[in-house]
Amino acid sequence: DISLNFQASLDNALNNNLNLKLINNDIENNKILLLKEKKSKQPSLDITGSAEYSDDGRIDSGTETTKGSILLTLTIPIYQQNIDNSNIRKYHSKILQSELNYQDFKEDLQILISNSFKDFNISNIKMESNLSVIKASETALEILEQEYYTGTKTISDLVEEEGKLLAAKVDYLNSKKDYLINYFKIKLLEGNLLNEFESYLPSVN
């Protein structure tokens, strides 16, 4: 698949990267713990009620009695030299640190993908350039062969041109190797590398 797009690859990387997901989960977990800690420091009001009914076993009217009570309990946390707030500060610090790590990792990922795309495009241009050199060298070699048969060129001229053709083919293969490596590096950063080899992977029961 040579239809790579930088923004699409970047979006895939941000969505699929496991390290980013772990950092984000850590942020959310600490936010929940912070909320629980804050709630434990808030005053609470508990209401309990009771009722009692009795007719004393009498059948005369007006002998029934009903009693009821409501109990309110207000609990206010007591702070001693801010000791009870230490956990809140700790979770705030953890969240801030995780958010900074998330942003740093995200920026590093963007730089890696940007550099990989640059190398990918450079290797592609080199491949095209080397193919042009190969074609020109092949044409030059054909002309030299004709001139050799007519006696205007020597065997040394042919050997020299064949050496240039061989060097151009080696350069092409090297640029193709770099091209493929950079392609798979982009897929690795996207988190889609295994998808490229899915049909080659052994089945797992």
Side-chain angles (χ1 to χ4, degrees):
D1 181 12
I2 60 173
S3 59
L4 290 177
N5 176 273
F6 173 77
Q7 189 58 50
S9 293
L10 179 59
D11 292 340
N12 285 333
L14 295 178
N15 290 330
N16 299 331
N17 189 274
L18 181 59
N19 287 322
L20 282 178
K21 289 184 177 181
L22 289 174
I23 296 174
N24 189 59
N25 285 342
D26 189 50
I27 292 173
E28 296 303 318
N29 286 337
N30 282 319
K31 285 182 178 179
I32 293 172
L33 292 173
L34 175 62
L35 182 61
K36 291 174 63 178
E37 195 69 26
K38 284 183 175 180
K39 284 188 175 181
S40 69
K41 301 295 186 289
Q42 294 176 350
S44 62
L45 180 64
D46 297 323
I47 302 176
T48 58
S50 63
E52 179 182 344
Y53 173 79
S54 174
D55 60 4
D56 291 334
R58 300 178 181 178
I59 59 173
D60 298 334
S61 60
T63 58
E64 299 89 348
T65 59
T66 302
K67 298 178 181 178
S69 64
I70 296 177
L71 176 64
L72 299 179
T73 304
L74 177 63
T75 304
I76 301 177
I78 298 176
Y79 299 95
Q80 297 180 351
Q81 299 178 352
N82 287 328
I83 294 176
D84 291 335
N85 286 328
S86 62
N87 285 338
I88 292 179
R89 291 195 301 271
K90 178 183 71 176
Y91 290 126
H92 271 301
S93 177
K94 284 186 174 182
I95 292 171
L96 178 60
Q97 185 61 52
S98 295
E99 288 175 342
L100 291 174
N101 290 340
Y102 184 92
Q103 190 61 34
D104 287 344
F105 196 93
K106 181 179 177 181
E107 291 175 357
D108 289 343
L109 192 58
Q110 290 174 330
I111 292 172
L112 285 172
I113 291 181
S114 179
N115 289 336
S116 297
F117 260 90
K118 178 195 68 178
D119 295 339
F120 177 76
N121 291 327
I122 289 174
S123 58
N124 186 34
I125 293 171
K126 285 183 177 179
M127 273 201 309
E128 295 175 354
S129 175
N130 288 327
L131 284 175
S132 298
V133 172
I134 289 173
K135 187 175 180 180
S137 185
E138 287 174 341
T139 302
L141 186 58
E142 290 175 0
I143 295 172
L144 278 175
E145 287 175 347
Q146 295 299 323
E147 293 177 340
Y148 171 75
Y149 292 135
T150 60
T152 58
K153 294 295 181 181
T154 65
I155 190 66
S156 297
D157 296 323
L158 286 175
V159 171
E160 182 180 353
E161 192 59 41
E162 286 177 347
K164 291 180 181 178
L165 176 59
L166 178 60
K169 289 183 176 180
V170 170
D171 289 341
Y172 169 74
L173 292 174
N174 285 332
S175 60
K176 185 177 182 179
K177 177 198 69 176
D178 294 337
Y179 176 82
L180 293 173
I181 288 175
N182 290 319
Y183 172 82
F184 289 121
K185 186 176 181 181
I186 292 171
K187 288 298 180 180
L188 174 65
L189 293 171
E190 284 184 4
N192 292 326
L193 183 58
L194 285 181
N195 296 338
E196 298 291 315
F197 298 97
E198 187 174 2
S199 58
Y200 303 100
L201 295 175
S203 60
V204 179
N205 295 328

